[in-house]
């Protein structure tokens, strides 16, 4: 069972397509104003925030930023991870319980394992959703000598342009 699980996870990881992750940001300025949107690009003096349905986006000078809160736009990975972990844990717990308390037929054994794993996957999906809502990275200009350069270096890996450049530099598997 462990070999099959390892093979399933390994194949799933290698079969993934490379795509740029999109991040939502909340930019808090020194004046107290907040700007929300998609993180587009950053250069040595400006942060570009793309517009979404609920926000207008804009161009923010790095010197005016108090903090930037970065969150993934897509919660798909957290949902999938939570469902996999929840299903595996409850399936394993049900299997261990059924080893101690034998059932009469193999059909009931398989049905019990399947239903408990499905319930655990649903619970794991919910937990993954909750964790993805509270997870985020807060970036503050900590370097007092050059806060703009510090913000630029911390924010750049989350920009769409940077991620597309990294994906384009990967060798083509075809």
């Amino acid at each position: 069972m462990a070999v099959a699980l390892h093979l399933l996870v390994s194949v799933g990881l290698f079969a993934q397509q490379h795509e740029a992750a999109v991040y939502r940001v909340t930019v808090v300025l020194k004046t107290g104003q907040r700007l929300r949107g998609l993180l587009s690009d950053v250069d040595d003096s400006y942060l570009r925030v793309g517009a979404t349905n609920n926000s207008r986006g804009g161009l923010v000078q790095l010197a005016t930023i108090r903090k930037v809160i970065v969150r993934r736009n897509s919660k798909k990975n957290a949902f999938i991870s939570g469902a996999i972990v929840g299903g595996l844990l409850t399936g394993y717990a049900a299997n261990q319980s059924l080893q101690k308390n034998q059932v009469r037929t193999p059909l009931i054994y398989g049905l019990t394992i399947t239903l408990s794993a499905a319930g655990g996957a649903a619970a794991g999906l919910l937990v993954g959703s909750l964790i993805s809502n509270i997870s985020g990275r807060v970036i503050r200009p900590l370097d007092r000598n050059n806060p703009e350069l510090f913000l630029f270096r911390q924010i750049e890996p989350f920009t769409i342009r940077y991620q597309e450049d990294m994906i384009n530099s990967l060798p083509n598997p075809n």
Side-chain angles (χ1 to χ4, degrees):
M1 181 169 152
V3 174
L5 175 64
H6 177 69
L7 183 62
L8 178 67
V9 171
S10 299
V11 169
L13 291 176
F14 289 122
Q16 293 180 358
Q17 296 294 325
H18 298 291
E19 61 183 41
V22 178
Y23 291 91
R24 289 179 293 133
V25 293
T26 302
V27 180
V28 180
L29 302 177
K30 290 179 180 175
T31 61
Q33 294 177 317
R34 293 178 183 260
L35 180 67
R36 292 181 176 89
L38 299 177
L39 182 57
S40 297
D41 197 10
V42 65
D43 58 21
D44 53 352
S45 56
Y46 288 100
L47 173 69
R48 288 174 185 76
V49 178
T52 62
N53 295 341
N54 302 337
S55 65
R56 57 184 168 88
L59 191 64
V60 181
Q61 197 171 21
L62 291 178
T64 63
I65 294 176
R66 179 185 310 156
K67 69 179 175 179
V68 178
I69 304 167
V70 181
R71 290 189 176 94
R72 266 192 188 271
N73 196 34
S74 173
K75 299 177 184 178
K76 180 176 74 170
N77 291 342
F79 290 165
I80 292 171
S81 299
I84 289 172
V85 170
L88 289 175
L89 287 177
T90 56
Y92 178 75
N95 184 38
Q96 293 302 315
S97 175
L98 289 174
Q99 296 298 323
K100 293 177 185 174
N101 305 318
Q102 296 288 327
V103 293
R104 293 185 181 186
T105 65
L107 178 66
I108 293 175
Y109 179 83
L111 190 61
T112 303
I113 295 288
T114 303
L115 290 177
S116 65
L125 184 86
L126 181 65
V127 170
S129 169
L130 294 174
I131 289 174
S132 70
N133 285 338
I134 61 172
S135 65
R137 180 169 178 185
V138 179
I139 301 171
R140 290 184 172 91
L142 299 177
D143 185 10
R144 297 192 191 275
N145 296 333
N146 198 349
E148 292 87 9
L149 181 62
F150 181 83
L151 278 174
F152 170 73
R153 288 182 178 164
Q154 295 295 313
I155 295 172
E156 185 183 30
F158 298 104
T159 63
I160 294 171
R161 179 193 49 82
Y162 180 85
Q163 291 188 26
E164 287 175 350
D165 289 346
M166 288 294 118
I167 290 171
N168 291 336
S169 67
L170 294 174
N172 192 357
N174 295 334

